[in-house]
Amino acid sequence: IKPDYMTIATANPTTWSFYQKLGFRFFCCLFLIYILPFPLDSIPFINEITGLSEKMGQWYGAIFEGYTALWHAIIPWFAKHVLHLDKPITIFSNGSGDTTYDYVLLLFFILLAFLGSIVWTVLDRKRPSYNQAHYWLRAALRYYLAGMMFVYGIIKIYHLQMPFPYLSQLVQPFGDKSPMGLAWSFIGYSKGYSAFSGIAELIGGILLLFRRTTLVGAITVAIVMLNVAMLNYFYDVPVKLFSSMLVIMSVFLIIPDFKRLGNLFFFNKPVTATTFPSMISSRKFR
């Protein structure tokens, strides 16, 4: 039976509470702002495609250059005139994802999402639910998280992110190591452990690609990335903001099943089966 919008509507709550709608509007704005320019930066074989024409490559690159230049202009101004920071922002995102620029950028994203959700609420306050928008937001987050898990998982499997310690690191006194240097040496020393953590990330990413395995994939990514985030926080690895956002996104994917998980693991109650509707009626197009 081909799904249609009538069957899809009955598979989800027809009316959301005010707080559900408000929360969805905020996180929808925040996540979409945060993951941009995804999916334009994740098109398969894009380097080969743009390599066919120099002008095409320039046009494609100009999109990202313009997007980056926009935030490089807004965020220093926001930090100086709104936050009144003592020193101007001159260092932007680089190998570290936790520069002052990154913290101010995330704050600006949150404020922008907050304002966007208020405007959205005023203009669309009579809508009973956001089942279709929720479906597509989940799809975007699933593929975004899966892409990140593929990247980090593969470089860990091939021992590229945290390589075996160099000779200079091996002869360095233990007490002279930075917390991050210690963590890098600890993980880099063992190819097996590096591959194990990469495989866990890769499995979570693969599971997120399919609607029927999204829940177990989101749980896997949440557990794996929570461990990564704690490593970043407690060993001062400068990827704290990004890893935290990946945890939040994975938890967002789990939220619709919180009640079912609670009944299964804590309250000893029956768990009802869930449905996996698609917003695309055509099987071929889907």
Side-chain angles (χ1 to χ4, degrees):
I1 299 175
K2 292 185 178 180
D4 53 36
Y5 289 106
M6 184 63 69
T7 59
I8 290 168
T10 59
N12 297 283
T14 56
T15 302
W16 291 16
S17 70
F18 171 79
Y19 295 105
Q20 285 178 316
K21 290 186 287 187
L22 187 63
F24 172 78
R25 292 169 185 143
F26 171 77
F27 282 105
C28 182
C29 293
L30 178 61
F31 290 149
L32 291 180
I33 294 170
Y34 187 85
I35 68 177
L36 282 175
F38 177 86
L40 293 178
D41 59 349
S42 303
I43 300 174
F45 307 107
I46 189 61
N47 292 330
E48 289 76 10
I49 295 173
T50 55
L52 299 175
S53 169
E54 182 178 354
K55 184 169 291 187
M56 184 188 299
Q58 292 174 350
W59 287 344
Y60 184 73
I63 297 175
F64 304 104
E65 292 175 1
Y67 181 77
T68 302
L70 173 66
W71 295 120
H72 285 184
I74 294 175
I75 298 306
W77 180 92
F78 178 76
K80 179 179 180 180
H81 295 90
V82 179
L83 300 181
H84 301 291
L85 297 186
D86 296 333
K87 297 181 180 179
I89 293 179
T90 57
I91 299 176
F92 301 101
S93 295
N94 46 40
S96 169
D98 293 332
T99 62
T100 301
Y101 170 83
D102 293 300
Y103 279 97
V104 176
L105 180 65
L106 181 58
L107 174 62
F108 189 81
F109 283 172
I110 293 173
L111 294 176
L112 201 61
F114 180 72
L115 292 175
S117 63
I118 292 177
V119 174
W120 190 354
T121 299
V122 173
L123 298 178
D124 199 32
R125 59 186 178 276
K126 294 184 179 180
R127 186 179 296 273
S129 65
Y130 290 99
N131 289 322
Q132 293 185 35
H134 182 233
Y135 174 90
W136 290 114
L137 177 62
R138 283 174 59 88
L141 294 181
R142 283 167 47 209
Y143 283 98
Y144 178 79
L145 283 172
M148 294 300 105
M149 294 303 100
F150 290 161
V151 171
Y152 283 100
I154 290 173
I155 61 177
K156 284 186 176 71
I157 290 173
Y158 288 99
H159 211 214
L160 299 175
Q161 183 180 15
M162 302 163 184
F164 191 85
Y166 301 112
L167 178 61
S168 59
Q169 296 172 316
L170 292 173
V171 300
Q172 181 183 22
F174 183 85
D176 290 344
K177 286 184 176 294
S178 66
M180 177 179 172
L182 178 60
W184 242 241
S185 298
F186 156 68
I187 299 176
Y189 184 83
S190 173
K191 289 183 178 180
Y193 183 79
S194 176
F196 170 78
S197 58
I199 291 172
E201 293 178 349
L202 196 61
I203 289 175
I206 293 173
L207 292 172
L208 285 175
L209 295 179
F210 308 97
R211 286 173 295 157
R212 294 180 181 275
T213 56
T214 293
L215 177 59
V216 66
I219 293 174
T220 302
V221 172
I223 294 172
V224 171
M225 290 311 302
L226 181 61
N227 178 63
V228 172
M230 292 303 100
L231 188 72
N232 293 338
Y233 278 104
F234 298 132
Y235 283 87
D236 197 26
V237 180
V239 201
K240 304 176 187 69
L241 296 180
F242 182 62
S243 58
S244 298
M245 283 299 297
L246 295 184
V247 173
I248 293 172
M249 289 178 185
S250 58
V251 171
F252 179 85
L253 294 177
I254 301 172
I255 285 177
D257 291 287
F258 267 3
K259 185 176 181 180
R260 297 175 63 247
L261 292 172
N263 289 338
L264 176 63
F265 289 107
F266 301 108
F267 303 117
N268 195 30
K269 294 182 179 180
V271 178
T272 57
T274 189
T275 56
F276 304 97
S278 172
M279 291 295 167
I280 305 175
S281 298
S282 169
R283 181 182 180 89
K284 182 178 180 180
F285 185 65
R286 184 164 69 248

